[in-house]
Amino acid sequence: MSALPRISCVILCHNYGRYLDRAITSCLEQEPGNFVLHEVIVIDDGSSDETEEVCLRREGDVKVIRRNQKGFGQSLTDAFRLSTGDWVAPLDADDWFHPSKLRTCAEAMTGGTLFIEHWENVVDSDGNPMLKEPHPGGNTSTLVIHRDAALSLLPANNEIFFHALREAGRGIALRDPLTFYRVHPRSMTDRSTPGVSQDYRADVCIALSDRLRAMYAIPPAWASTRQLRRISWHFRALASGHRVESAMQREERVSAMLLIPGMLIGTLRAHGPIAPWLRSLSSTIAGRPLVRLTANQERQAHS
């Protein structure tokens, strides 16, 4: 009989002390299942609020890594480098897990699966529901990733890096809403300034594409060189799509049109579906961005 998978829950925190206790409790109070809760780690990335106080109160329950601020990318990278479980469940400190998260995800840790994502419940700053229905995931708190596979993609500057495992056919998507994703005024990502979020995502996709290209000569165990080429072009096409949307949000329609051919080339070389390109093309022709921004736009899930 094979050993139960050991899962490390790693909480990423920068000045989210007011939410941290609930995040910790959600990791520790998971329903039993075919897994071992190997450890709960809090990475305090140079917080200047009550985070240290919360960590001191919970020091018997969690391992705390406290250091000067290094940014989200380094914290995410350290979540995998410093943990020791077979699987890692990262958690932004302003979110929290459903009690059945690890039990449900453990049931999907079969065959060649290396990447698990699931849906989420979107809540406001007080934890009250904001949407009537669950929302698709893909962001940090909705992932559980095999640690060895993740190590091959480090350093990562965003959770999108691990989406490469899904594109390699090594992922599974669950429709269960197993995370509560909190929307609040101090969310990390700026989604109200036109183009900012899209430009950031484009930069991440290009960085990931470049990382995959650097792996061609010695491919990891989870993908062949041919797969890496296809996936690299997939993220190149995604980057172009984000740039198109950024330009449209900034009302730079000509710039958006100039990006459309590159997006098509990337899509064709990735052997990907043409629908996203058609949506971007229609957006530029109509002169309307796909995402409408407002001054108080709600935080959305990472794609």
Side-chain angles (χ1 to χ4, degrees):
M1 182 175 179
S2 59
L4 296 179
R6 301 173 303 154
I7 304 177
S8 298
C9 292
V10 187
I11 303 171
L12 314 179
C13 187
H14 174 68
N15 288 338
Y16 283 160
R18 61 199 177 282
Y19 303 127
L20 179 58
D21 192 78
R22 188 167 197 176
I24 293 173
T25 298
S26 76
C27 294
L28 295 171
E29 296 186 352
Q30 287 290 301
E31 298 172 359
N34 293 322
F35 69 94
V36 174
L37 178 57
H38 181 62
E39 59 191 350
V40 178
I41 300 173
V42 176
I43 299 179
D44 177 4
D45 189 41
S47 298
S48 57
D49 63 352
E50 64 267 43
T51 294
E52 183 174 3
E53 178 184 341
V54 175
C55 289
L56 288 172
R57 289 202 310 266
R58 306 301 299 265
E59 63 181 352
D61 300 323
V62 302
K63 176 183 178 181
V64 179
I65 298 170
R66 185 175 297 112
R67 48 42 167 0
N68 293 331
Q69 186 178 2
K70 296 183 179 179
F72 174 75
Q74 187 61 55
S75 292
L76 184 61
T77 295
D78 288 344
F80 293 89
R81 287 183 172 166
L82 302 178
S83 59
T84 56
D86 305 310
W87 292 77
V88 176
L91 175 62
D92 288 330
D94 51 340
D95 303 330
W96 75 94
F97 290 154
H98 188 279
S100 65
K101 160 141 177 162
L102 300 188
R103 173 181 60 80
T104 304
C105 290
E107 294 171 357
M109 295 174 183
T110 58
T113 299
L114 300 173
F115 175 92
I116 301 168
E117 60 184 310
H118 56 75
W119 284 38
E120 63 194 3
N121 290 305
V122 181
V123 300
D124 64 18
S125 58
D126 296 320
N128 301 312
M130 293 188 67
L131 300 177
K132 292 182 179 180
E133 300 295 332
H135 190 277
N139 57 356
T140 309
S141 302
T142 64
L143 306 180
V144 183
I145 308 151
H146 195 279
R147 180 173 178 269
D148 286 347
L151 290 175
S152 67
L153 289 161
L154 300 182
N157 53 26
N158 183 276
E159 68 274 9
I160 290 173
F161 268 54
F162 308 119
H163 291 192
L165 299 170
R166 176 185 64 198
E167 298 304 320
R170 306 300 294 272
I172 187 169
L174 308 175
R175 292 182 65 90
D176 307 72
L178 301 175
T179 289
F180 293 88
Y181 185 77
R182 196 190 301 265
V183 175
H184 57 92
R186 297 177 64 184
S187 297
M188 182 181 67
T189 304
D190 179 358
R191 299 181 189 278
S192 60
T193 304
V196 170
S197 177
Q198 285 69 31
D199 284 339
Y200 169 70
R201 295 184 190 206
D203 289 342
V204 171
C205 288
I206 291 298
L208 173 55
S209 177
D210 290 343
R211 177 70 48 77
L212 295 171
R213 291 181 177 192
M215 299 165 68
Y216 288 174
I218 307 178
W222 49 267
S224 65
T225 298
R226 182 176 181 179
Q227 286 177 304
L228 292 176
R229 292 183 189 279
R230 177 183 59 78
I231 299 167
S232 175
W233 278 109
H234 167 75
F235 285 103
R236 225 71 180 183
L238 279 182
S240 294
H242 289 313
R243 297 287 190 210
V244 170
E245 177 64 17
S246 172
M248 292 304 300
Q249 288 185 8
R250 289 182 279 108
E251 300 182 353
E252 297 175 359
R253 191 175 178 187
V254 173
S255 296
M257 288 299 296
L258 293 174
L259 291 163
I260 288 293
M263 184 179 179
L264 178 59
I265 291 171
T267 299
L268 295 175
R269 298 200 68 169
H271 306 291
I274 204 72
W277 178 79
L278 289 174
R279 286 195 295 269
S280 292
L281 177 63
S282 297
S283 170
T284 57
I285 292 173
R288 293 191 300 270
L290 295 172
V291 179
R292 290 290 183 180
L293 300 179
T294 64
N296 298 310
Q297 185 189 26
E298 297 174 358
R299 187 170 63 142
Q300 300 173 341
H302 295 310
S303 58

